[in-house]
Amino acid sequence: MFLDFFFPDRCLGCNNIIAANIFVCEICKNQIDFCNNKFEDENVLKEQCKTIFPIENAFALMRFQKEGLSRELIHNLKYNKRKNLGKLFAKWTIERLSFDKKPDLLISVPLHPKKEKERGYNQLHLFTETISEFYNIPFDHQIIKRNYYAKAQALKDKENREKSADLFSLQKPISGKHVLIIDDVFTTGNTMSAMAWEILKNKNNKVSVLVMEQDY
């Protein structure tokens, strides 16, 4: 209570004082470009994915805004130790996402162990776990691993981004599952594609995708 008085929580958009663990005031939230598309419908994200791997369904929470609040929030989630923003993104997702038929398994894109140690956490885990609990869909953070440490996709040149073979490997067999792959931002789709194809090596599997932000 003492610290709350002298160091109140502030909106990450306008810096006004807000209630604890809210992160964003309603005025700033209304400036975010939410996609509001249906998971099973045709949409831009699904069309993009179709060009690089077979996909069942796709859902993006927000559209990319170069100077927008969504980018600021994701930056804070990934790099400023604000991992509880994962719960906020999950809350916003739950408000907008429904399934005609639920996927069988949630898998978030893993970090390389060195990267996760540097960051202190995987920014997708709390988001995935919150989604899992609400929809009663199991998740597994150990089922797939990233095989080598690399720079962030946004910092790589095009040639290196295309070298995604063997980026991931399964640690447990998956067969006959509809897997929902979860990531923070969809840009080129190279990381998502590499992970999807690893799961689709078993022809009995299907994949869908869920991302916090779509950059197109």
Side-chain angles (χ1 to χ4, degrees):
M1 188 73 100
F2 178 83
L3 290 177
D4 289 345
F5 180 80
F6 286 100
F7 302 99
D9 284 19
R10 292 183 177 274
C11 173
L12 293 174
C14 63
N15 205 39
N16 285 333
I17 295 173
I18 55 175
N21 299 315
I22 298 297
F23 295 108
V24 179
C25 71
E26 281 299 314
I27 294 174
C28 288
K29 178 185 173 183
N30 290 334
Q31 297 172 14
I32 295 173
D33 189 7
F34 290 107
C35 293
N36 294 315
N37 53 3
K38 198 169 184 292
F39 181 67
E40 284 85 5
D41 285 353
E42 297 298 314
N43 55 63
V44 175
L45 177 59
K46 184 175 179 179
E47 289 303 312
Q48 286 183 301
C49 291
K50 278 182 179 179
T51 65
I52 48 180
F53 61 89
I55 185 169
E56 296 297 310
N57 300 299
F59 180 90
L61 176 62
M62 304 173 291
R63 294 181 183 88
F64 172 75
Q65 296 172 289
K66 186 174 182 180
E67 303 299 329
L69 179 58
S70 61
R71 179 48 51 98
E72 179 69 19
L73 292 175
I74 287 178
H75 183 87
N76 273 274
L77 171 66
K78 295 175 71 170
Y79 305 117
N80 290 345
K81 308 297 183 183
R82 298 290 191 100
K83 71 176 182 178
N84 280 338
L85 278 167
K87 271 197 169 183
L88 178 66
F89 286 132
K91 176 180 178 291
W92 290 347
T93 299
I94 290 165
E95 291 171 353
R96 294 164 174 80
L97 175 63
S98 61
F99 300 108
D100 290 340
K101 186 176 181 181
K102 294 190 298 186
D104 302 307
L105 180 65
L106 307 181
I107 302 179
S108 53
V109 175
L111 297 175
H112 187 274
K114 180 180 177 182
K115 173 77 75 173
E116 189 165 343
K117 185 176 180 180
E118 290 172 353
R119 189 169 294 173
Y121 57 95
N122 183 317
Q123 73 275 8
L124 298 173
H125 283 181
L126 187 55
F127 176 84
T128 301
E129 290 158 16
T130 306
I131 296 291
S132 169
E133 181 180 9
F134 181 83
Y135 293 103
N136 194 28
I137 304 171
F139 69 88
D140 192 328
H141 294 324
Q142 280 74 51
I143 203 165
I144 195 165
K145 76 169 185 177
R146 188 182 290 258
N147 291 323
Y148 53 86
Y149 181 87
K151 294 179 181 178
Q153 289 291 329
L155 300 180
K156 292 183 176 182
D157 58 36
K158 182 178 179 182
E159 180 180 358
N160 283 334
R161 285 199 303 268
E162 291 171 350
K163 296 177 181 177
S164 57
D166 302 319
L167 178 59
F168 300 104
S169 59
L170 286 174
Q171 303 303 288
K172 308 173 191 176
I174 305 176
S175 181
K177 299 294 185 183
H178 179 190
V179 178
L180 182 60
I181 304 173
I182 294 175
D183 204 357
D184 46 25
V185 180
F186 185 98
T187 49
T188 64
N190 291 304
T191 298
M192 187 74 76
S193 177
M195 193 161 164
W197 280 113
E198 185 64 25
I199 295 167
L200 292 170
K201 284 179 179 178
N202 186 312
K203 298 184 185 300
N204 295 318
N205 292 328
K206 300 183 292 184
V207 298
S208 293
V209 302
L210 167 61
V211 298
M212 299 174 185
E213 183 183 62
Q214 179 184 7
D215 183 356
Y216 62 87

